[in-house]
Amino acid sequence: MAASVEISSLDNINYKSKIKIIFYILIVFFLFVFAFMSYYPIGDKLKVFLKSNLKGTGCNPDFDEIRMEWIMPKLVISDLKLPASCLGRTGDTLEFSHVTLNYQLINFAPFGLPFRLDTELYGQPITVYFVQGLGQRMIRMKDQTIALSRLQPLLGGNFKLAGNVTVDLNLTVGSNNLMKGLSLIAESKDLQIPSQSIQGFTAPNLKINTLRVEANSEAPPRINVDKLILGDADSPLRANFKGRIDLQEGAVAFSPINLAGEVAFSETFKQQLPLIDMMFQSFTQKDGFYQIRLGGTLGAPKPSAP
């Protein structure tokens, strides 16, 4: 009995000793990584790496500083400048005063390394969740409220929008940077189209109020638009469309569209723009709504009779 107790005690001592050794190894490893990341010129090395690997692509991002912070581990990039060509478009360089990349616990659906990206663009705070998986990555925006007027530079000078829109986005991108899946819900209660010239007509300020967009994609690059609802009972125009968009990667404005639906205008709006009735006289009306099919492209839609 005594021999048995003695053997048990020896096993205990060996077990605790092994734990101590592993613990000491982990501490040394952590201190080594901490010292390396704190003093290694990671920002300069990353600049050289990006310039050498992106040379000739037209996408040459630049930044002032990149550093590690160990309280809630994160990577911080200051004064990031991202050319519009990196997003497959033309225009001014996008400037971010800061970009913070926070590492989070491992993700299982989909499986991969998860990060949370916090930044600010034209005064608009933006939070994006990002998971790098095996052969794909997921981008998630969860109930992100966006002030459309702040992001006007992204929309260009040809079309203006105002109001706030809440976006819930789930986007999956493959290793070839092509879309593999999409789920999108966008909603607004105070959408406005400021007075502007649209195809030669000067439109008054339009308080659309309600916007609801629901779209998904299970067979990219085709996007199914389940709902596109504009306006309410107090709006100068109301519209309800659904259909599909065949997304053109790198040239979104040239994406063919096929949407069917209806649109109606208030009497006040018709008085402000007397040509409205003349423009839509060839379309069939049903309960006061013009029945319309929208073809052409996303950048240049063409209405026709359904």
Side-chain angles (χ1 to χ4, degrees), residues 163-184:
N164 299 289
V165 60
T166 301
V167 177
D168 192 285
L169 169 70
N170 197 330
L171 174 66
T172 304
V173 180
S175 56
N176 54 3
N177 290 326
L178 297 179
M179 181 178 66
K180 292 183 65 177
L182 170 72
S183 175
L184 170 68

Side-chain angles (χ1 to χ4, degrees), residues 141-265:
M141 292 182 73
K142 187 175 181 180
D143 297 330
Q144 175 82 61
T145 300
I146 297 173
L148 294 172
S149 58
R150 290 182 177 178
L151 298 185
Q152 186 60 50
L154 288 179
L155 301 174
N158 296 328
F159 190 65
K160 300 176 183 177
L161 290 173
N164 299 289
V165 60
T166 301
V167 177
D168 192 285
L169 169 70
N170 197 330
L171 174 66
T172 304
V173 180
S175 56
N176 54 3
N177 290 326
L178 297 179
M179 181 178 66
K180 292 183 65 177
L182 170 72
S183 175
L184 170 68
I185 297 177
E187 188 171 20
S188 176
K189 298 295 184 183
D190 60 355
L191 179 67
Q192 292 189 48
I193 303 177
S195 179
Q196 58 195 290
S197 178
I198 302 176
Q199 295 185 347
F201 294 95
T202 300
N205 183 65
L206 302 177
K207 295 184 67 175
I208 304 300
N209 300 327
T210 301
L211 166 70
R212 176 80 179 184
V213 178
E214 295 182 15
N216 68 83
S217 179
E218 297 178 353
R222 174 160 292 179
I223 297 175
N224 297 315
V225 180
D226 298 321
K227 287 184 181 180
L228 174 54
I229 300 173
L230 286 170
D232 55 26
D234 298 321
S235 304
L237 69 85
R238 287 179 290 166
N240 190 346
F241 284 89
K242 63 181 180 179
R244 65 177 186 266
I245 300 172
D246 292 320
L247 190 67
Q248 299 294 305
E249 299 285 350
V252 176
F254 294 96
S255 302
I257 63 174
N258 187 355
L259 302 172
E262 55 187 14
V263 60
F265 304 97

Side-chain angles (χ1 to χ4, degrees), residues 3 9 19 25 30 43 78 89 94 97 106 108 118 128 135 147 175 182 185 209 228 237 242 296 304:
S9 299
I19 291 293
I25 291 174
F30 175 79
S78 59
R89 56 188 293 272
L94 303 181
S97 59
I106 194 165
F108 292 98
D118 296 299
V128 177
S175 56
L182 170 72
I185 297 177
N209 300 327
L228 174 54
L237 69 85
K242 63 181 180 179
S304 64

Side-chain angles (χ1 to χ4, degrees), residues 32-179:
F32 172 78
V33 172
F34 178 82
F36 178 81
M37 297 300 291
S38 297
Y39 296 101
Y40 185 76
I42 186 173
D44 295 336
K45 297 297 182 183
L46 186 56
K47 276 188 178 182
V48 173
F49 175 80
L50 290 174
K51 287 183 178 180
S52 61
N53 283 271
L54 296 176
K55 186 177 180 180
T57 64
C59 176
N60 296 298
D62 193 16
F63 53 85
D64 180 58
E65 180 188 20
I66 182 170
R67 67 182 187 276
M68 288 290 298
E69 292 186 2
W70 296 96
I71 299 176
M72 300 182 67
K74 53 183 170 287
L75 192 69
V76 180
I77 305 172
S78 59
D79 294 329
L80 174 64
K81 296 178 176 61
L82 191 67
S85 56
C86 294
L87 303 178
R89 56 188 293 272
T90 58
D92 297 333
T93 298
L94 303 181
E95 298 185 3
F96 303 84
S97 59
H98 73 277
V99 176
T100 302
L101 194 63
N102 299 270
Y103 175 71
Q104 300 187 314
L105 296 177
I106 194 165
N107 197 78
F108 292 98
F111 180 78
L113 298 175
F115 300 89
R116 191 188 77 195
L117 187 148
D118 296 299
T119 188
E120 189 174 292
L121 179 63
Y122 303 118
Q124 170 64 53
I126 297 174
T127 296
V128 177
Y129 296 90
F130 176 89
V131 177
Q132 179 62 56
L134 300 174
Q136 66 179 17
R137 53 188 177 273
M138 186 189 78
I139 300 169
R140 181 88 164 92
M141 292 182 73
K142 187 175 181 180
D143 297 330
Q144 175 82 61
T145 300
I146 297 173
L148 294 172
S149 58
R150 290 182 177 178
L151 298 185
Q152 186 60 50
L154 288 179
L155 301 174
N158 296 328
F159 190 65
K160 300 176 183 177
L161 290 173
N164 299 289
V165 60
T166 301
V167 177
D168 192 285
L169 169 70
N170 197 330
L171 174 66
T172 304
V173 180
S175 56
N176 54 3
N177 290 326
L178 297 179
M179 181 178 66

